[in-house]
Amino acid sequence: MKIVLNIIWLVLCGFWMCLAYLFAGAVLCVTIIGIPFGLAAFRIGLFALWPFGRKAVERPDAGAPSLIGNVIWLLLAGWWLALGHVFTGVLLCLTIIGIPLGLANFKLIPVSLLPLGREIVPTDEPFAAGAGFRPAPAAPGGPSQGPGEPRAW
């Protein structure tokens, strides 16, 4: 299913959003100082090209430099790339077939606003949970239940 969604996404908006990220990355890479921002734009551009089956998660080792870089990114390129995702997401949600694609556009907004300190990881679900999703830990002192194991009452 995610391959079909990715192909439809590519045709309707993924190619154009990827071009926007590549353009932003090229402009940011013109200066030495902008190279980290340009590399982030290229990374997100590839994510915007083929988003289903992948998600962006926060890196635990990201610190203050990522925060400062995200503020600079937000001022330079993040706000207008996020506006592109909002615009195309709303347009895609106007049709029933486009709703999953519109939701994928909305999933890309936080990454387009604050990309530094995140990485793109594969997932098995076409609609991955948010970056902060973690499975609940097992109850203290109780047995943990793995997938496919019968529930112990």
Side-chain angles (χ1 to χ4, degrees):
M1 181 67 171
K2 60 185 168 186
I3 293 175
V4 172
L5 287 172
N6 275 323
I7 291 172
I8 296 171
W9 168 271
L10 182 67
V11 171
L12 293 179
C13 65
F15 179 72
W16 303 110
M17 291 306 297
C18 180
L19 283 181
Y21 280 104
L22 293 178
F23 176 74
V27 169
L28 290 168
C29 281
V30 168
T31 65
I32 301 290
I33 297 171
I35 290 176
F37 304 109
L39 295 177
F42 296 148
R43 186 178 67 244
I44 300 169
L46 293 176
F47 182 41
L49 188 64
W50 205 256
F52 292 98
R54 299 189 301 171
K55 66 179 179 177
V57 295
E58 292 185 23
R59 290 179 31 204
D61 60 344
S66 293
L67 176 67
I68 295 167
N70 277 329
V71 170
I72 295 169
W73 167 269
L74 183 64
L75 296 173
L76 294 177
W79 66 272
W80 62 270
L81 290 168
L83 279 176
H85 286 297
V86 169
F87 180 72
T88 56
V90 168
L91 286 178
L92 286 168
C93 284
L94 293 177
T95 65
I96 292 175
I97 295 173
I99 290 174
L101 305 174
L103 294 176
N105 256 310
F106 298 141
K107 177 179 88 168
L108 288 168
I109 291 172
V111 180
S112 67
L113 286 173
L114 306 169
L116 301 174
R118 295 178 185 245
E119 63 182 330
I120 312 300
V121 296
T123 180
D124 291 337
E125 303 96 25
F127 298 101
F133 175 77
R134 298 284 184 261
S144 63
Q145 177 181 349
E149 293 180 11
R151 186 175 291 264
W153 299 98

